């Protein structure tokens, strides 16, 4: 049986040759292991925290000097006697020279690769010394660029394209330039006579839902052996077992089951994410255990469906699990820290639990970061989160010379083998936006060239060889995961801007043509895998990066600008603010108004695109993944949850739009001439359309209740109530008509100001409110809000439960409609169950408030509120 000895103690590090970090020959003990340079130097106080103020620019030298990490470890005599002994490096960041007891073992050149090196002849009984030297990967990248050529890109230094490392650390439009290095994953010794070198569990689920499970295994040596294979349920009960005689060190065991015999894995919201365990035990001829492994698997049928649509041009791009078509509402994921070794398992779980609690069912691992840690995918499996996995290429014209291809091939094979058993992973994409880069720079790119003999390495878009030859071959050979050439990628000979095929990154709100967010419906695609809007984080996060320098505590300060990396962010934030809001410029107000703007923008997108999920053959939009759920440092960005896991209001508005049942509305003005050939005589009517969605697999009978309120007159208007039947797993159109029915006059002159008519729609099941939405006239800047003292707004405490004394319940009520309520506490910190709330008379809403941190008396906590028209602007 293999024995493992962790090499995780007695580590120290030094700046080679001395310098700002230490004197020549001075070694500093590490505070944790694995670790990296920046993480250690911040903890030891040798560098300032680069997340505060302008300190990012005080530490740039770290990425351009050489570092060493060393340790000593003991090896028992018993271990030395084993037939094979390997030292395993799960991850070294990035270029490293490995020496053991003064002898060079290897050089590494890929952050995403693990290295296994035989060391039996290099070890000695007793104490051994391991030395890792990390030359500057940045400078190595510069040398490779000088040798192989400079290529175009978006974000960061162009030399990054030659280095197989996490690309985001070169600086992105949401992240700092922090080039760290070190042993970022575990290191250990493994001794054995023979070990399980490969284990592949493949679930083949037919359309009938009959199941076949193939278990392929391979030993490191061709020795006479047999394997016992067990399939167990979550309780540990053995459901099936078999024995396999290994031939030439390999073999296959197979289990079969009829539909319904084994529980299947489903994504959250569509069933239980049931996991089974496959256990393999290998013994030699004498019955001695050579090795054993266990692997959690989910049995499911997953497909990417690209079928012709029945009512529009193009094809679907949707995910189907166990014959159920899934509307994917989710987020993009970037690395959760600039220093990856700072992310503990609990933090990963907290992030992914937030995603599920926000009614999201998919996460896309973006191609400029890392193939995530095992805990990430394990948690997605357990929670039922679908995973869109990118290969690690982002926003660039990557090379494809021989040595680079060698690195990519090894990286891809290792990571596909590591990740292929996860039921959560339903697609593997070749890159992030690299085809868009090729389009924008007019590189050689003929989408109709599908000739397998074409050698794309001879073009000025050589990486097409990687995305269309190398990656699909490796992903297909080692897994059953659907391969997609890139994100975005249309296929069928279309470019990446095409909205009728494949997936699209819809950045014409914020970037591009900077469309109003109200145009999301005409900006839709078959699957929108990126879109977004910026918003400031929680004021506490802002104060963290200010670092106590209150002279910088205003929106346009140098420090504030350093903590927003997007080009032209000042113009774009103000464009959308000025178009839509009367707003103030003090920092608390700027935080509030940008947050509400982000919340309104993103909720509108989900609301309008979920409407496009109209039933089989009419899935005009099958998914929307917001850019992005998280940050890698404290910053103003597109994230809906900030670096410290503080959700922004947009998190909650998205959550509401991804509820099981939702109701949505649009109001649009129509202008009709009343005198032929005249521009002076016309009628302007306001048309309202109402729809509802139902993500269950059964139709649902509900009551649609519509009420209106004239904000300036201060009284309720007309309304309606009718029974409707919501189609299963689809949207349903439930009402369309003129707002004149509810008291909005038809206008005959542009000088006639329409009434400020607020329309509230609810879906009711008896007395239960299944969904609600209030539609306000826009832009909000035109509204004459009532004085706050006349609103009749109440935040009424309801107490706490005995099981959760730190969670208080409050009821919100009002006599007049209120838009965009964001709650906070006067002192300390709290997390509310809802934010960016629209309140309507006669429809009180209940929220919970979880008190965070220290609070001597939670009953004394005072809740405060911001809202549009609160008198601050």
């Amino acid at each position: 049986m293999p024995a493992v000895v962790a090499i995780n103690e007695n580590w120290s590090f030094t700046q080679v040759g001395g310098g700002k970090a230490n004197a020549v020959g001075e070694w500093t003990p590490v505070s944790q292991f694995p670790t990296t340079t920046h993480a250690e130097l911040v903890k030891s106080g040798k560098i300032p925290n680069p997340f505060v103020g302008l300190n990012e620019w005080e530490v740039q030298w770290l990425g351009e000097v050489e570092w060493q990490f060393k340790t000593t470890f003991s090896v028992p005599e018993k271990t030395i006697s084993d037939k094979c002994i390997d030292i395993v490096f799960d991850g070294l960041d990035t270029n490293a020279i490995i020496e053991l007891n003064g002898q060079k073992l290897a050089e590494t050149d890929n952050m995403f690769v693990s290295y296994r090196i035989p060391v039996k002849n290099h070890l000695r009984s007793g104490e051994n010394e391991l030395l890792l030297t990390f030359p500057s990967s940045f400078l190595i990248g510069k040398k490779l660029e000088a040798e192989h050529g400079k290529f175009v890109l978006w974000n960061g230094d162009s030399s990054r394209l030659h280095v197989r490392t996490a690309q985001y650390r070169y600086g992105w439009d949401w992240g700092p330039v922090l080039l760290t290095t070190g042993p970022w994953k575990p290191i250990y010794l493994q001794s054995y006579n023979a070990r399980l070198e490969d284990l592949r569990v493949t679930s083949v689920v037919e359309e009938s839902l009959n199941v076949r499970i193939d278990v392929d295994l391979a030993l490191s040596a061709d020795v006479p052996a047999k394997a016992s294979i067990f399939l167990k349920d979550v309780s540990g009960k053995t459901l099936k077992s078999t024995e396999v005689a290994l031939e030439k060190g390999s073999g296959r065991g197979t289990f079969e089951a009829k539909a319904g015999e084994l529980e299947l894995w489903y994504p959250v919201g569509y069933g239980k994410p049931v996991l089974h365990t496959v256990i393999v035990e290998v013994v030699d001829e004498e019955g001695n255990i050579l090795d054993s492994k266990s692997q959690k698997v989910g049995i499911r049928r997953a497909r990417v469906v690209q079928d012709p649509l029945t009512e529009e041009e193009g094809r679907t791009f949707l995910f189907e699990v166990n014959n159920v078509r899934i509307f994917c509402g989710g987020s993009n994921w970037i690395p959760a820290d600039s220093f990856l070794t700072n992310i503990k398992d609990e933090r990963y779980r907290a992030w992914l639990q937030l995603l599920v609690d926000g009614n999201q069912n998919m996460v896309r691992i973006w191609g400029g970061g890392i193939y995530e840690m095992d805990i990430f995918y394990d948690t997605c499996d357990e929670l039922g989160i679908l995973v869109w996995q990118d290969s690690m290429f982002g926003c660039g014209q990557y090379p494809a010379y021989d040595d680079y291809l060698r690195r990519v091939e090894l990286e891809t094979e290792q990571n596909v083998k590591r990740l292929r058993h996860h039921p959560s992973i339903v697609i593997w994409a070749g890159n992030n936006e690299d085809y868009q880069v090729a389009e924008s720079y007019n590189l050689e790119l003929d989408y109709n060239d599908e000739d397998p003999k074409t050698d794309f390495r001879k073009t000025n878009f050589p990486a097409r060889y990687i995305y269309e030859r190398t990656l699909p071959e490796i992903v297909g050979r080692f897994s059953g995961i659907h391969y997609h050439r890139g994100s975005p990628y249309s296929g069928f000979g279309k470019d990446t801007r095409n909205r009728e095929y494949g997936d699209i990154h819809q950045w014409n709100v914020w970037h591009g043509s900077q469309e109003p967010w109200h145009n999301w419906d005409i900006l839709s695609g078959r699957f929108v895998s990126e879109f977004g809007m910026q918003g400031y984080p929680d004021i506490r996060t802002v104060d963290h990066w200010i670092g106590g320098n209150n002279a910088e505590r205003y929106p346009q300060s140098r420090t504030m600008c350093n903590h927003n990396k997007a080009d032209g962010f000042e113009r774009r934030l103000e464009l959308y603010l000025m178009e839509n809001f009367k707003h103030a410029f003090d920092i608390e107000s700027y935080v509030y108004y940008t947050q509400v703007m982000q919340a309104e923008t993103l909720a509108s997108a989900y609301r309008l695109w979920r409407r496009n999920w109209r039933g089989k053959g009419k899935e005009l939009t099958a998914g929307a993944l917001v850019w992005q759920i998280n940050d890698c440092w404290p910053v103003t960005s597109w994230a809906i949850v900030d670096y410290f896991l503080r959700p922004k209001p947009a998190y909650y508005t998205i959550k509401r739009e991804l509820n099981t049942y939702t109701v949505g509305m649009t109001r649009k003005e129509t202008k009709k001439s009343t005198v032929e050939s005249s521009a002076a005589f016309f009628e302007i009517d306001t048309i309202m359309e109402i729809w509802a969605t139902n993500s269950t697999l059964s139709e649902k009978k509900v009551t649609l209740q519509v009420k209106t309120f004239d904000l300036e007159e201060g009284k309720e208007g007309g309304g309606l109530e009718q029974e409707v039947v919501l189609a299963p797993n689809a949207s349903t159109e439930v009402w369309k008509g003129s707002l004149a029915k509810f008291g909005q006059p038809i206008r005959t002159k542009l000088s006639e100001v329409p009434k400020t008519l607020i329309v509230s729609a609810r879906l009711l099941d008896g007395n239960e409110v299944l969904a609600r939405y209030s539609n306000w006239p826009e832009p909000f800047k035109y509204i004459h809000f009532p004085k706050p003292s006349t609103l009749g707004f109440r935040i009424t405490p309801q107490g706490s439960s005995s099981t959760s004394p730190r969670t208080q319940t409050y009821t919100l009520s009002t006599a007049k409609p209120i838009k965009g309520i964001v709650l906070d506490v006067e002192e300390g910190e709290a997390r509310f169950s809802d934010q960016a709330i629209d309140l309507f008379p006669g429809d009180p809403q209940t929220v919970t408030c979880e008190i965070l941190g220290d609070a001597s008396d939670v009953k004394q906590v005072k809740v405060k509120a911001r809202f549009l028209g609160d008198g601050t602007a």
Side-chain angles (χ1 to χ4, degrees):
M1 186 74 176
V4 172
V5 178
I7 305 176
N8 57 8
E9 296 180 347
N10 305 318
W11 284 93
S12 58
F13 74 106
T14 189
Q15 179 184 346
V16 176
K20 294 183 179 180
N22 50 258
V24 176
E26 179 188 1
W27 290 80
T28 304
V30 302
S31 62
Q32 64 177 49
F33 194 86
T35 194
T36 54
T37 50
H38 286 71
E40 290 301 327
L41 292 169
V42 169
K43 289 177 182 177
S44 66
K46 293 189 174 183
I47 62 171
N49 185 347
F51 291 175
V52 173
L54 305 178
N55 291 341
E56 169 192 357
W57 308 113
E58 296 293 324
V59 298
Q60 291 303 302
W61 60 272
L62 274 80
E64 299 186 19
V65 299
E66 189 169 83
W67 299 91
Q68 287 182 328
F69 288 77
K70 72 175 181 180
T71 188
T72 57
F73 60 95
S74 295
V75 181
E77 187 67 43
K78 180 182 176 182
T79 300
I80 294 289
S81 64
D82 283 346
K83 183 178 180 181
C84 302
I85 310 174
D86 297 342
I87 188 168
V88 181
F89 301 87
D90 279 348
L92 297 172
D93 181 9
T94 289
N95 296 88
I97 301 163
I98 303 169
E99 295 176 77
L100 179 62
N101 295 327
Q103 292 183 303
K104 179 179 173 181
L105 298 182
E107 291 190 30
T108 75
D109 55 12
N110 195 324
M111 177 184 182
F112 309 125
V113 165
S114 65
Y115 297 88
R116 176 181 287 270
I117 305 169
V119 291
K120 182 176 176 65
N121 296 329
H122 301 283
L123 288 173
R124 51 192 179 219
S125 179
E127 191 171 272
N128 294 262
E129 183 178 82
L130 178 62
L131 176 66
L132 307 176
T133 302
F134 292 89
S136 168
S137 294
F138 177 79
L139 297 181
I140 288 173
K142 284 293 189 183
K143 291 178 182 178
L144 289 170
E145 183 177 62
E147 180 181 354
H148 296 284
K150 188 181 179 73
F151 295 95
V152 297
L153 80 167
W154 301 329
N155 296 297
D157 188 274
S158 58
S159 66
R160 70 173 172 84
L161 301 174
H162 296 269
V163 184
R164 296 310 299 151
T165 193
Q167 303 284 276
Y168 77 106
R169 295 184 312 196
Y170 284 76
W172 226 263
D173 55 6
W174 37 258
V177 180
L178 292 170
L179 295 169
T180 195
T181 191
W184 76 292
K185 285 188 175 183
I187 301 172
Y188 57 92
L189 280 180
Q190 186 178 44
S191 60
Y192 56 93
N193 292 317
R195 63 180 179 86
L196 272 168
E197 192 171 57
D198 194 23
L199 173 62
R200 179 176 180 179
V201 180
T202 305
S203 299
V204 179
V205 182
E206 300 172 356
E207 189 174 0
S208 66
L209 301 186
N210 289 338
V211 176
R212 188 184 81 244
I213 302 173
D214 294 327
V215 183
D216 293 284
L217 53 111
L219 286 178
S220 60
D222 180 5
V223 296
K226 66 179 180 179
S228 298
I229 306 173
F230 305 90
L231 177 68
K232 299 193 174 189
D233 66 14
V234 69
S235 71
K237 177 184 176 182
T238 298
L239 302 176
K240 294 181 179 291
S241 64
T242 187
E243 285 195 354
V244 179
L246 303 187
E247 296 182 6
K248 297 183 179 180
S250 64
R252 167 181 285 187
T254 298
F255 302 126
E256 293 186 348
K258 296 293 185 182
E261 186 180 347
L262 297 174
E263 289 189 272
L264 301 182
W265 184 95
Y266 282 88
V268 60
Y270 292 85
K272 296 179 180 178
V274 176
L275 295 174
H276 293 77
T277 302
V278 172
I279 298 176
V280 178
E281 293 181 353
V282 182
V283 298
D284 62 16
E285 291 178 306
E286 286 75 41
N288 300 311
I289 297 178
L290 293 175
D291 201 357
S292 67
K293 280 189 177 180
S294 67
Q295 199 168 83
K296 284 189 176 181
V297 298
I299 303 167
R300 52 86 173 130
R301 171 183 170 85
R303 297 198 306 142
V304 175
V305 179
Q306 299 185 75
D307 286 345
L309 290 159
T310 59
E311 297 178 357
E312 286 196 8
E313 291 295 319
R315 291 175 178 263
T316 63
F317 191 94
L318 64 86
F319 293 86
E320 183 184 272
V321 179
N322 303 330
N323 301 331
V324 178
R325 296 187 170 199
I326 310 293
F327 181 87
C328 295
S331 291
N332 284 268
W333 171 270
I334 65 171
D337 208 297
S338 291
F339 311 125
L340 296 165
T341 55
N342 286 346
I343 313 173
K344 306 307 177 189
D345 288 359
E346 313 83 69
R347 196 163 153 207
Y348 272 121
R349 290 192 183 96
W351 273 114
L352 292 169
Q353 189 63 56
L354 266 175
L355 188 130
V356 168
D357 291 346
N359 294 326
Q360 299 186 37
N361 61 12
M362 177 175 268
V363 63
R364 172 177 172 246
I365 299 176
W366 167 75
I370 62 170
Y371 305 94
E372 273 296 348
M373 310 293 270
D374 291 340
I375 184 64
F376 186 98
Y377 303 97
D378 291 342
T379 305
C380 288
D381 292 346
E382 293 163 9
L383 295 178
I385 301 169
L386 298 173
V387 174
W388 175 310
Q389 177 70 55
D390 281 0
S391 281
M392 293 302 116
F393 301 90
C395 299
Q397 177 197 15
Y398 283 88
Y401 47 86
D402 289 347
D403 182 64
Y404 193 82
L405 280 177
R406 171 192 62 79
R407 287 180 274 158
V408 169
E409 288 166 358
L410 180 60
E411 163 192 323
T412 306
E413 178 179 338
Q414 282 196 8
N415 283 285
V416 169
K417 285 182 174 180
R418 176 172 71 94
L419 301 177
R420 64 190 173 195
H421 69 282
H422 289 285
S424 54
I425 301 177
V426 290
I427 188 170
W428 194 295
N431 65 81
N432 173 79
E433 296 186 352
D434 292 357
Y435 284 96
Q436 284 190 314
V437 169
E439 291 169 2
S440 70
Y441 285 96
N442 295 314
L443 303 182
E444 296 167 79
L445 177 57
D446 178 3
Y447 282 113
N448 291 306
D449 185 355
E450 295 289 344
D451 186 346
K453 296 180 181 178
T454 302
D455 189 350
F456 300 122
R457 290 173 294 183
K458 296 179 181 179
T459 72
N460 61 8
F461 185 31
R464 191 175 177 190
Y465 182 89
I466 296 174
Y467 311 141
E468 299 184 27
R469 303 285 189 269
T470 305
L471 299 185
E473 192 281 325
I474 295 173
V475 173
R477 177 158 41 110
F478 293 111
S479 80
I481 302 170
H482 178 91
Y483 179 77
H484 187 53
R485 288 176 175 174
S487 183
Y489 190 83
S490 299
F492 303 95
K494 311 295 184 182
D495 68 28
T496 61
R497 294 162 294 188
N498 187 279
R499 295 173 44 239
E500 296 173 341
Y501 296 87
D503 71 311
I504 190 171
H505 290 187
Q506 186 47 273
W507 281 108
N508 280 316
V509 172
W510 184 271
H511 290 302
S513 55
Q514 298 179 8
E515 300 283 331
W517 75 64
H518 316 86
N519 289 352
W520 284 127
D521 52 350
I522 62 174
L523 297 172
S524 62
R526 298 298 175 234
F527 194 104
V528 187
S529 46
E530 280 191 24
F531 68 102
M533 172 58 73
Q534 282 204 352
Y536 264 72
D538 189 288
I539 190 65
R540 298 165 183 83
T541 301
V542 174
D543 284 335
H544 176 86
W545 77 57
I546 290 297
N549 184 4
N550 288 336
E552 291 286 288
R553 201 175 183 270
Y554 61 98
Q556 309 98 318
S557 75
R558 187 182 300 273
T559 302
M560 291 292 183
C561 289
N562 194 60
H563 286 260
N564 190 330
K565 298 296 186 179
D567 287 343
F569 70 87
E570 301 98 333
R571 295 189 299 277
R572 295 174 193 193
L573 282 174
E574 276 304 310
L575 168 68
Y576 287 100
L577 284 171
M578 289 296 291
E579 281 186 343
N580 294 282
F581 300 93
K582 178 185 178 185
H583 73 91
F585 271 96
D586 63 280
I587 188 59
E588 284 82 4
S589 292
Y590 213 71
V591 166
Y592 169 75
Y593 285 104
T594 61
Q595 286 184 347
V596 170
M597 176 177 71
Q598 182 190 42
E600 288 290 315
T601 303
L602 301 183
S604 174
Y606 281 97
R607 187 181 310 120
L608 292 166
W609 292 338
R610 197 171 169 192
R611 184 187 192 184
N612 284 345
W613 181 256
R614 299 177 181 177
K616 191 169 183 178
K618 295 180 285 188
E619 300 96 341
L620 307 184
T621 302
L625 307 180
V626 70
W627 186 270
Q628 65 230 55
I629 191 169
N630 63 325
D631 280 324
C632 66
W633 74 316
V635 67
T636 296
S637 75
W638 298 271
I640 61 172
V641 182
D642 74 29
Y643 173 79
F644 295 108
L645 287 97
R646 293 171 174 139
K648 300 179 187 178
Y651 168 86
Y652 298 95
T653 59
I654 292 170
K655 177 181 178 179
R656 293 200 293 268
E657 296 302 332
L658 292 176
N659 269 331
T660 304
Y661 305 101
T662 70
V663 61
M665 292 181 274
T666 59
R667 70 169 84 190
K668 295 188 178 182
E669 292 185 346
T670 62
K671 186 177 180 182
K672 181 176 67 175
S673 177
T674 57
V675 176
E676 188 176 352
S677 301
S678 172
F681 299 96
F682 52 81
E683 290 182 347
I684 299 175
D685 195 4
T686 306
I687 304 300
M688 175 149 283
E689 297 180 0
I690 307 177
W691 66 92
T693 68
N694 168 18
S695 67
T696 75
L697 304 184
S698 303
E699 67 177 28
K700 179 71 173 178
K701 294 181 180 179
V702 300
T703 300
L704 170 67
Q705 181 190 79
V706 178
K707 294 183 177 182
T708 62
F709 194 100
D710 187 323
L711 197 62
E712 296 204 13
E713 292 187 8
K715 64 181 183 181
E716 288 196 29
L720 65 84
E721 195 166 292
Q722 64 186 44
E723 303 301 310
V724 296
V725 177
L726 307 185
N729 197 18
S731 66
T732 302
E733 301 296 312
V734 295
W735 191 83
K736 179 179 179 179
S738 170
L739 269 185
K741 175 182 175 68
F742 301 131
Q744 182 67 269
I746 293 176
R747 298 151 60 203
T748 59
K749 293 181 290 189
L750 292 178
S751 58
E752 292 176 353
V753 178
K755 287 186 176 182
T756 306
L757 202 65
I758 317 303
V759 184
S760 166
R762 299 196 300 174
L763 299 183
L764 305 176
D765 184 4
N767 293 324
E768 182 184 1
V769 180
L770 298 180
R772 58 165 60 87
Y773 169 59
S774 290
N775 182 280
W776 286 62
E778 298 186 52
F780 305 123
K781 65 184 179 182
Y782 290 159
I783 297 174
H784 298 154
F785 291 98
K787 292 182 179 180
S789 61
T790 69
L791 293 173
F793 179 37
R794 300 280 187 273
I795 303 175
T796 307
Q798 303 294 334
S800 61
S801 69
S802 58
T803 57
S804 184
R806 295 182 67 82
T807 300
Q808 301 285 309
T809 300
Y810 296 88
T811 298
L812 309 184
S813 60
T814 188
K816 297 179 182 179
I818 305 177
K819 178 72 182 175
I821 299 170
V822 173
L823 303 169
D824 205 344
V825 289
E826 292 283 359
E827 296 181 3
E829 185 172 358
R831 178 175 293 175
F832 290 84
S833 59
D834 203 1
Q835 293 283 25
I837 299 164
D838 293 347
L839 206 55
F840 197 84
D843 185 21
Q845 297 185 43
T846 299
V847 298
T848 59
C849 170
E850 179 189 0
I851 308 303
L852 305 176
D854 296 328
S856 57
D857 186 355
V858 295
K859 294 181 180 179
Q860 298 302 314
V861 171
K862 293 183 179 180
V863 175
K864 60 182 180 179
R866 293 290 304 261
F867 49 88
L868 296 188
D870 62 7
T872 57

